[in-house]
Amino acid sequence: MPPSSDGAVERVVVLPKPLHARPAGQLARLAGRHKETTIQLVAGAKKANARGVLAVMAMGAVTGTEVTLTVTGPDAEAVADEVADILTAAEAVDG
Amino acid sequence: MTAVAHRWTGQGVAPGAAVAGSWRADRPIPAGTVHIGPNEVEAAFAAVAAELEQAAERQRQQGRSAAADIVEVGALIAADPDLVDSAKQAAGAEQPLPAVRDAVESYATVLDSLPDEALSQRAADVRQVGRRVLERLAYPDGGRDAPAGDRFVLIATDIGPADLIDHLGGGLVGAVAVRGGANSHAAIVARSVGLPLVTGIDPEVLDLPDATDLLVDADAGTVVAEPSATEVARTEAASAHELERRGRLAAERGLPHVTADGQPFGLYANVASDVEVRLALESGAIGSGLVRTELGFLEADRWPGEADHRRTLAPLLAEAHGRPVTVRLLDFANDKIPPFLSPPAGLPSLLANPAALTAQIRAIVDLGRGVGLRIMVPMVTSPDQVAPVRAIVNAASVTFGVPAPPVGAMVETIAAVRDIDALCQVVDFVSIGSNDLTSEVLDLDRIDPRARTELAAHPRVLSLIGRVVAASNAAGLPPLTVCGDAGSHPTTLPLLLGAGVRSVSVAVARIDETRWRLRRLDAAECRTLFTDALRLGGAGEVAALVEERIEVAMP
């Protein structure tokens, strides 16, 4: 989706896995690396800023949930890609 | 301390013994006014985040990636801007410490209320972060930062897995809790890392001043304050030996799974939670040969619905991503019958409730798409019990657009063995449940303590196992797995290998030991042993024969 007039980039992803602590943590780290950029997630009636791992987990987004992400600020396009990657990546395998 | 020797009895839920100074993890925050403001609160959160980050890094360097991930969640929570802001605002209250605690608790409560179990469990992590922050604020001199001395025994009312993981490699040698049981996550973690844990101890143990000499003997289920020099010496010698033994067993993780004569074997774990999956994979298990699905529903007042199954299975199957996983359908039998069913319950009651069966199968099939999924039917007594399950599995697979997973039978009744050739024609795999099979063959009550694992070495049980292996092979099914304590027992493991078994699924804490044994057993020798054992009269005679012929040097 092209950037809108205010520079916001919006994407919609359907979660292939629940939004548990691990992806929530990856999002918080990503947000921490891009302090000037705001990453907002919306799932149904719940909203969260990606910098807060608790707010993201509190959305209770499970597999199949449609999540709308809105990124504003520097590198919005690239950051939005990374957010979408985190939300749609398969769980990492241990060991 | 008074001069009275303090001795308490509880339940040892993770074996071993240790002695060290005590350290209470959940010391209550002091009453009275403490002068702190938002800056102190912010600094405390930052310090806790840094401390947990370092703890996670330490775990990672020691190759404990699962433990590191668990601790790292705490670090991220301590750095959460919303949480920190709300705690900073609370610091303006007249009684700042309780206000900060309440602020943290409100975040924990939100997570608690989520239906997804993996998410609601994070509430405990939030509380743990809050506890650490409050301790920093209440003891600004750092007196509560860490236990005194380089070794300690952790004491708390409740112990969570993170309480233990946090201090692994940091001097923790044992733990004592007032509450909790053998199936708690803390107990699972304690067993897998070899940390003695005694639960069910009288709350007066909480009143011991920190650094009281404390002996934890989980084998005896006892806790002794200020033990005698003799008791200390004996315990220390035993625990040093145990530590060394575990280290040597764990050193073989990653070595090829082949017997002494080059036969490949499969090593899987029996699991019921995501924590066990993590620990099992870390111990080098290939996957899970038995996921127990009924344990969360033993107190249920009705059949679990699809949402209930999804809640309990999702974290576990996410953790096992990419691995082979055999999920067993609800096994409400013997000592595991919930209040809404009456004995004998078991498979017939599940088959008589197609809605209940469908609910579970749909959850398994949908959530299992990320793993190498197989579905196993427990306590099968007749080949015609498989078709109704397969029909539902196939329908669910169509609904969710996934290939139908293999459907197999857990052979653990005499009736199933009697009909084994016909059974092998209608399943995609079989597994053997050695515990129940042994109990039935020898007419032991499953919950009778006499139903000990070594009785699987009885010639009558062995001949049935041999028959099942032969039938499975003749039908061209994949190598069968034995899921039961026999798969990790020194007497029965060589006999299973001799019977042609090439795959076992064992308790998480037994993985290292089982790999060690299998790598040193010679399958051809075990074959002769098995043949000779069949001619003997009882389990005792077989055990003597195994002892005479098979010698696996353990560390």
Side-chain angles (χ1 to χ4, degrees):
Chain A
M1 196 175 291
S4 56
S5 54
D6 61 353
V9 177
E10 195 176 293
R11 301 270 159 87
V12 178
V13 297
V14 176
L15 298 182
K17 63 179 177 185
L19 191 32
H20 282 168
R22 217 176 303 183
Q26 290 167 340
L27 290 176
R29 288 182 194 288
L30 176 68
R33 287 198 301 271
H34 298 275
K35 291 201 191 309
E36 309 298 314
T37 307
T38 306
I39 307 166
Q40 196 75 33
L41 304 179
V42 179
K46 299 201 177 178
K47 285 183 198 172
N49 186 316
R51 66 188 189 132
V53 70
L54 290 174
V56 171
M57 289 197 286
M59 292 202 302
V62 295
T63 305
T65 303
E66 197 177 274
V67 176
T68 305
L69 57 105
T70 310
V71 182
T72 36
D75 301 322
E77 205 50 74
V79 173
D81 286 343
E82 278 196 68
V83 174
D85 283 349
I86 290 169
L87 292 177
T88 55
E91 286 276 338
V93 178
D94 283 320
Chain B
M1 291 294 316
T2 62
V4 184
H6 295 266
R7 192 175 287 269
W8 297 273
T9 305
Q11 186 193 6
V13 297
V19 58
S22 65
W23 185 70
R24 183 163 170 199
D26 56 349
R27 183 76 62 198
I29 51 173
T33 311
V34 181
H35 296 286
I36 52 161
N39 293 341
E40 282 83 3
V41 171
E42 183 163 10
F45 273 95
V48 169
E51 175 183 295
L52 290 173
E53 196 69 59
Q54 282 164 14
E57 192 46 42
R58 267 200 312 275
Q59 295 299 318
R60 216 175 290 290
Q61 279 165 7
Q62 291 165 19
R64 299 197 183 104
S65 63
D69 285 349
I70 292 177
V71 176
E72 201 156 39
V73 173
L76 288 165
I77 290 170
D80 188 284
D82 302 326
L83 176 66
V84 177
D85 283 348
S86 121
K88 278 165 72 180
Q89 280 174 24
E94 200 166 312
Q95 290 283 344
L97 291 184
V100 169
R101 186 189 53 210
D102 292 347
V104 173
E105 182 56 30
S106 70
Y107 279 84
T109 310
V110 170
L111 292 181
D112 252 344
S113 68
L114 295 173
D116 183 299
E117 199 186 20
L119 288 172
S120 61
Q121 279 177 9
R122 298 281 80 82
D125 296 297
V126 175
R127 293 193 177 100
Q128 198 191 27
V129 165
R131 199 169 84 199
R132 285 165 173 274
V133 167
L134 287 171
E135 278 169 3
R136 278 191 174 266
L137 293 170
Y139 305 91
D141 303 334
R144 291 298 301 167
D145 275 6
D150 54 356
R151 290 156 50 82
F152 69 98
V153 170
L154 188 145
I155 303 180
T157 308
D158 291 288
I159 292 181
D163 290 314
L164 303 180
I165 284 167
D166 241 7
H167 294 288
L168 288 179
L172 178 63
V173 296
V176 175
V178 173
R179 291 199 289 251
N183 290 325
S184 69
H185 282 174
I188 292 162
V189 169
R191 285 195 291 271
S192 88
V193 299
L195 190 80
L197 171 61
V198 178
T199 63
I201 291 290
D202 192 292
E204 68 183 9
V205 77
L206 298 169
D207 298 332
L208 292 173
D210 279 349
T212 302
D213 275 344
L214 206 61
L215 187 156
V216 183
D217 184 346
D219 301 322
T222 56
V223 173
V224 185
E226 299 182 332
S228 70
T230 321
E231 281 177 308
V232 170
R234 197 171 53 222
T235 307
E236 280 183 340
S239 74
H241 176 257
E242 175 61 14
L243 195 69
E244 194 194 323
R245 189 185 81 91
R246 296 183 63 91
R248 293 183 58 192
L249 289 175
E252 299 208 335
R253 293 175 184 177
L255 291 185
H257 286 180
V258 288
T259 60
D261 55 340
Q263 296 283 317
F265 62 83
L267 183 56
Y268 298 85
N270 302 335
V271 300
S273 69
D274 56 340
V275 174
E276 282 173 299
V277 172
R278 278 185 181 215
L279 295 167
L281 297 183
E282 210 163 272
S283 304
I286 305 164
S288 173
L290 170 61
V291 175
R292 298 189 169 98
T293 57
E294 62 281 345
L295 299 186
F297 304 116
L298 296 186
E299 301 303 323
D301 53 10
R302 56 179 175 83
W303 284 102
E306 186 175 331
D308 300 316
H309 287 296
R310 283 178 179 272
R311 212 160 30 239
T312 56
L313 278 172
L316 189 157
L317 290 173
E319 203 58 58
H321 189 90
R323 302 300 187 121
V325 174
T326 302
V327 180
R328 184 177 66 185
L329 299 177
L330 290 171
D331 185 20
F332 287 142
N334 295 315
D335 53 337
K336 298 182 296 183
I337 300 178
F340 74 93
L341 289 175
S342 38
L347 182 61
S349 67
L350 183 60
L351 293 177
N353 283 275
L357 183 58
T358 304
Q360 184 176 27
I361 288 174
R362 282 174 54 91
I364 296 170
V365 168
D366 188 25
L367 295 171
R369 55 179 93 213
V371 302
L373 179 67
R374 307 199 301 177
I375 293 179
M376 179 158 70
V377 189
M379 294 298 257
V380 171
T381 52
S382 153
D384 59 21
Q385 289 169 323
V386 177
V389 174
R390 191 186 289 281
I392 297 171
V393 170
N394 288 345
S397 304
V398 170
T399 306
F400 295 113
V402 296
V407 175
M410 192 159 200
V411 176
E412 49 190 336
T413 64
I414 296 173
V417 181
R418 201 172 283 140
D419 246 352
I420 190 67
D421 292 314
L423 184 61
C424 285
Q425 295 306 311
V426 298
V427 295
D428 303 313
F429 68 94
V430 293
S431 297
I432 294 178
S434 57
N435 299 0
D436 280 316
L437 187 62
T438 304
S439 299
E440 192 189 349
V441 171
L442 301 181
D443 198 20
L444 306 163
D445 185 337
R446 171 79 187 266
I447 44 183
D448 182 331
R450 288 182 307 147
R452 305 242 303 278
T453 310
E454 50 258 52
L455 291 177
H458 194 287
R460 293 216 307 270
V461 180
L462 292 177
S463 81
L464 294 185
I465 291 174
R467 204 171 142 199
V468 176
V469 176
S472 169
N473 290 342
L477 299 181
L480 69 74
T481 302
V482 171
C483 317
D485 298 329
S488 60
H489 191 275
T491 305
T492 45
L493 184 56
L495 294 162
L496 292 176
L497 196 60
V501 172
R502 291 292 178 270
S503 175
V504 292
S505 190
V506 302
V508 174
R510 298 272 181 204
I511 291 167
D512 286 334
E513 188 183 324
T514 305
R515 178 179 44 240
W516 176 284
R517 289 184 193 282
L518 280 167
R519 285 177 40 81
R520 284 160 181 77
L521 288 170
D522 182 301
E525 256 178 48
C526 289
R527 181 81 214 172
T528 315
L529 172 80
F530 174 75
T531 314
D532 293 344
L534 288 180
R535 299 194 193 101
L536 298 178
E541 287 173 50
V542 175
L545 181 72
V546 174
E547 198 170 329
E548 182 189 310
R549 300 254 192 102
I550 304 289
E551 198 184 332
V552 174
M554 298 304 289

